[in-house]
């Protein structure tokens, strides 16, 4: 009812409550070896954390997926190597489809944010083709900077 807000206004001086947000990312792995998977996952997570100003205490959980040709290491195990021992992690197999991107690791990070900022997805290596809209936006930004 419209009048309920008038009768019980929302306080304007309360601090912002943390909000659950999610951000996606993906990267391709050079080769299916434990070291290559570790390197790729560490690069992807490092860039996601830096680009979005994510503190380790703000991480709620992460869901990884990997294409069927990534067998040597579970990406969640690679994330544990970064010290993410208190973050619930899960990895699932990507559905095999015709023409799928090879050796690709994807992640969906759940993050607690209190400032309302928009989180920026990160797609690295050949995985950049999964989000052509981000490539177009980056290209537009570079063109604008050049002017």
């Amino acid at each position: 009812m419209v009048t309920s807000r008038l009768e019980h206004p929302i306080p304007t001086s309360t601090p912002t409550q943390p909000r659950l947000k999610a951000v996606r990312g993906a990267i391709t792995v050079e080769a299916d070896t434990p070291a290559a998977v570790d390197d790729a996952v560490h690069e992807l997570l490092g860039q996601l954390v830096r680009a979005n100003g994510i503190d380790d205490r703000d991480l709620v959980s992460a869901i990884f997926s990997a294409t069927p040709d990534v067998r040597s290491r579970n990406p969640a195990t690679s994330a544990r190597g970064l010290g993410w021992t208190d973050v619930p992690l899960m990895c699932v197999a990507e559905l095999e489809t015709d023409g799928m991107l090879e050796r690709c690791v994807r992640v969906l990070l759940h993050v607690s944010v209190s400032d309302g900022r928009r989180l920026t997805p990160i797609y690295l290596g050949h995985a950049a083709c999964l989000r052509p809209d981000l490539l177009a936006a980056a290209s537009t930004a570079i063109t604008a900077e050049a002017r």
Side-chain angles (χ1 to χ4, degrees):
M1 177 175 245
V2 175
T3 59
S4 65
R5 204 168 238 187
L6 297 173
E7 294 167 2
H8 304 285
I10 298 171
T12 57
S13 61
T14 60
T16 305
Q17 294 294 319
R19 183 171 174 220
L20 180 65
K21 288 193 152 193
V23 63
R24 291 285 319 262
I27 191 167
T28 47
V29 180
E30 291 292 320
D32 184 27
T33 65
V37 174
D38 286 347
D39 289 347
V41 169
H42 293 181
E43 181 180 357
L44 174 61
L45 296 179
Q47 287 204 31
L48 274 167
V49 165
R50 281 189 302 279
N52 292 291
I54 298 170
D55 186 273
D56 286 351
R57 295 171 296 181
D58 297 332
L59 293 167
V60 175
S61 65
I63 300 172
F64 293 90
S65 69
T67 52
D69 52 2
V70 177
R71 295 182 186 91
S72 64
R73 170 98 66 204
N74 181 322
T77 301
S78 297
R80 294 265 181 246
L82 288 174
W84 290 19
T85 56
D86 294 329
V87 180
L89 305 174
M90 186 170 93
C91 187
V92 298
E94 194 73 35
L95 180 66
E96 191 167 356
T97 59
D98 294 335
M100 71 186 309
L101 188 60
E102 294 179 351
R103 293 186 314 277
C104 185
V105 173
R106 295 170 173 89
V107 66
L108 174 64
L109 284 183
H110 299 102
V111 183
S112 176
V113 294
S114 57
D115 58 6
R117 71 183 177 272
R118 182 167 187 219
L119 300 177
T120 304
I122 301 291
Y123 287 79
L124 304 172
H126 294 292
C129 73
L130 298 172
R131 289 292 305 268
D133 57 316
L134 296 176
L135 288 174
S139 175
T140 302
I142 291 170
T143 303
E145 285 179 14
R147 291 182 198 161

